[in-house]
């Protein structure tokens, strides 16, 4: 049986269809954040308006490869709405932990891109990292940086209260506390891992090997030295001159003055910056975390 609409949800629907804004969705893993975002996309496009989605869920991305942040646009006229890629940021990890600064900067850059397009409604999906001191501080800093007009909170009980109680005092943000759908089901770590593996396998097909001479491209951040040992499969973001990700490669070999990667990209003429991640992927799509400390 369908759940009755809460007063907060009725108010949310009125705002989404009436005035738009930047809507940031908060909640633990598997409470239905992505489902809510997709429902709101349908609602907005059904009224003849475009909507942008900033998918900031590094581990369970809806619109891109795990380890990346993604911005897509959905225009009216199709059902279901068809997401059109706009921009991507390579973080190189499936969790913000250890990559908090990179994730915050990437989210801000993608939101700037969305707002530069003049889209009236932007929906931001987030990771399930919401509990504990680090998670709370990270989410509060993200809210402070992105300044959403509305926060959509999906909570089973009081797990979001340390975040929401602070946000309810802000003058520039309205908080909606929404019920978790009864159909929401918590997936195991193995199920989430298998989902990422499937996405890796579908992405890394038809690979082309490209060699980048390090006097013709830049490296954004650290890079493994030739003495680092076997780091084959390490994910590498292939970025344009503005730092946006054009595609992702798997490290094949490296030397002091060159790096070789395998990627679905057939041409890399626009690649200006390489960014090395902290996850390696084998031919079967299995993840192998690699700490930069090992470099």
């Amino acid at each position: 049986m369908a759940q009755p609409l809460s007063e907060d949800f009725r108010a949310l629907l009125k705002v989404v269809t009436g005035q738009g804004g930047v809507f940031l969705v908060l909640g633990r893993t598997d409470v239905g954040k992505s489902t809510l975002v997709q429902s709101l996309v349908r609602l907005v496009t059904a009224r003849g308006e475009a909507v942008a989605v900033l998918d900031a869920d590094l581990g369970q991305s809806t619109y891109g490869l795990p380890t990346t942040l993604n911005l897509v646009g959905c225009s009216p006229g199709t059902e279901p709405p068809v997401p059109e890629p706009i921009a991507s940021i390579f973080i190189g990890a499936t969790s913000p932990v250890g990559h908090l600064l990179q994730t915050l900067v990437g989210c801000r850059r993608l939101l700037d891109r969305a707002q530069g397009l003049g889209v009236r409604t932007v929906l931001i999906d987030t990771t399930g990292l919401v509990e504990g001191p680090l998670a709370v501080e990270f989410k509060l800093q993200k809210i402070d940086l992105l300044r959403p007009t509305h926060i959509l909170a999906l909570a089973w009980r009081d797990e979001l209260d340390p975040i929401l109680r602070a946000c309810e005092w802000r003058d520039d943000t309205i908080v909606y506390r929404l019920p978790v759908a009864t159909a929401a089901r918590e997936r195991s770590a193995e199920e989430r891992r298998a989902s990422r593996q499937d996405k890796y396998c579908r992405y890394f097909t038809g690979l082309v090997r490209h060699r980048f001479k390090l006097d013709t491209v830049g490296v954004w951040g650290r890079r493994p030295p030739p003495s680092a040992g076997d780091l084959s499969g390490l994910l590498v973001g292939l970025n344009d001159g503005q730092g946006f990700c054009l595609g992702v490669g798997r490290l094949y070999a490296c030397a002091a003055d060159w790096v070789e990667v395998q990627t679905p990209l057939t041409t890399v003429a626009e690649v200006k910056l390489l960014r090395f991640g902290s996850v390696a992927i084998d031919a079967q799509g299995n993840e192998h975390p690699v700490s930069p400390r090992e470099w």
Side-chain angles (χ1 to χ4, degrees), residues 173-228:
T173 301
I174 298 173
V175 175
Y176 296 98
R177 293 177 180 259
L178 308 176
V180 177
T182 53
R185 181 184 70 85
E186 187 172 359
R187 293 178 297 168
S188 67
E190 177 58 28
E191 287 178 290
R192 293 193 291 272
R193 186 205 61 76
S195 175
R196 292 195 298 272
Q197 181 180 14
D198 178 65
K199 290 181 179 180
Y200 293 133
C201 287
R202 285 189 282 117
Y203 182 84
F204 288 108
T205 58
L207 301 181
V208 180
R209 194 183 305 170
H210 296 281
R211 176 173 290 192
F212 296 94
K213 294 183 178 180
L214 297 181
D215 59 354
T216 61
V217 296
V219 175
W220 200 255
R222 299 180 66 184
R223 76 176 182 95
S227 60

Side-chain angles (χ1 to χ4, degrees), residues 46-255:
R47 293 180 64 86
E49 293 190 27
V51 59
V53 179
L54 198 173
D55 184 350
D57 193 342
L58 292 168
Q60 299 296 313
S61 177
T62 301
Y63 296 106
L65 189 70
T67 72
T68 64
L69 308 172
N70 296 278
L71 178 68
V72 301
C74 298
S75 301
T78 60
E79 179 54 40
V82 179
E84 295 292 335
I86 297 174
S88 180
I89 296 283
F90 177 77
I91 303 298
T94 58
S95 169
V97 177
H99 305 79
L100 302 179
L101 183 59
Q102 297 93 322
T103 303
L104 290 174
V105 171
C107 286
R108 183 66 252 181
R109 294 206 65 202
L110 291 179
L111 181 56
D112 286 346
R113 186 77 174 266
Q115 293 176 322
L117 297 174
V119 180
R120 205 167 69 110
T121 302
V122 181
L123 307 172
I124 305 175
D125 198 358
T126 60
T127 69
L129 182 68
V130 295
E131 295 178 273
L134 182 142
V136 171
E137 186 65 28
F138 174 63
K139 283 299 193 288
L140 290 177
Q141 293 297 330
K142 178 180 286 188
I143 290 164
D144 209 19
L145 183 65
L146 302 184
R147 299 183 65 188
T149 56
H150 305 80
I151 293 174
L152 316 183
L154 294 167
W156 288 109
R157 289 173 293 277
D158 59 356
E159 65 268 19
L160 297 180
D161 280 2
I163 301 170
L164 300 182
R165 285 173 181 159
C167 292
E168 286 169 342
W169 287 94
R170 290 187 69 104
D171 294 332
D172 56 356
T173 301
I174 298 173
V175 175
Y176 296 98
R177 293 177 180 259
L178 308 176
V180 177
T182 53
R185 181 184 70 85
E186 187 172 359
R187 293 178 297 168
S188 67
E190 177 58 28
E191 287 178 290
R192 293 193 291 272
R193 186 205 61 76
S195 175
R196 292 195 298 272
Q197 181 180 14
D198 178 65
K199 290 181 179 180
Y200 293 133
C201 287
R202 285 189 282 117
Y203 182 84
F204 288 108
T205 58
L207 301 181
V208 180
R209 194 183 305 170
H210 296 281
R211 176 173 290 192
F212 296 94
K213 294 183 178 180
L214 297 181
D215 59 354
T216 61
V217 296
V219 175
W220 200 255
R222 299 180 66 184
R223 76 176 182 95
S227 60
D230 183 15
L231 293 177
S232 58
L234 184 70
L235 295 185
V236 183
L238 308 177
N239 298 340
D240 65 14
Q242 295 183 319
F244 290 108
C245 184
L246 300 171
V248 178
R250 295 172 61 241
L251 184 64
Y252 183 80
C254 65

